[in-house]
Amino acid sequence: AQWRRALQLFQAAPQFRIVTDVVSCGAALGACEKGAEWHAALLLLDAMPKRSLEVDGICVNTAISCMGGRWLLAVGLLAKLAVVTGRRAGEVTGGPSVISYTVAMSACEMCQQWL
């Protein structure tokens, strides 16, 4: 359960005066992805603003990858990415990317859910 240890380290970082950033949060999300821990990934993503961390496309894409066959959650995160960035699909400077759509479609494919 290395994902659990990674999350513990991330959560304990402030106690040791270690500043967390989007990259370290992305690494923690990556650990959730490897452990297929979708619930922990959602909690971590929701906690980012509370830590004054900007939710970016990479973190959301990683969280979407954690959803596995939970296609509704994956599609919901895809929609959240568009809202968080304030961009529409296809705009160069933000919004859902090809990767975002690909990982969301993979979740739909696992359950054979086609929108």
Side-chain angles (χ1 to χ4, degrees), residues 81-97:
L81 179 57
V83 170
V84 166
T85 60
R87 307 282 184 189
R88 290 177 297 196
E91 291 186 12
V92 177
T93 57
S97 66

Side-chain angles (χ1 to χ4, degrees), residues 45-59:
L45 196 65
D46 285 342
M48 286 181 70
K50 295 172 192 157
R51 288 183 171 232
S52 300
L53 299 175
E54 184 177 339
V55 178
D56 68 357
I58 294 169
C59 289

Side-chain angles (χ1 to χ4, degrees), residues 35-48:
E37 293 297 326
W38 64 273
H39 189 258
L42 287 176
L43 291 174
L44 189 56
L45 196 65
D46 285 342
M48 286 181 70

Side-chain angles (χ1 to χ4, degrees), residues 1 13 17 21 23-24 26 32 37 43 47-48 52 56-57 59 61 64 70 89 95 99:
R17 295 191 175 129
D21 59 9
V23 174
S24 59
C32 292
E37 293 297 326
L43 291 174
M48 286 181 70
S52 300
D56 68 357
C59 289
N61 290 346
I64 292 171
R70 290 163 190 82
I99 295 170

Side-chain angles (χ1 to χ4, degrees), residues 67-77 104-115:
M67 296 304 111
R70 290 163 190 82
W71 68 276
L72 279 174
L73 291 172
V75 171
L77 285 173
M105 285 189 295
S106 292
C108 293
E109 179 183 31
M110 287 181 189
C111 295
Q112 297 183 346
Q113 294 293 322
W114 305 109
L115 303 174

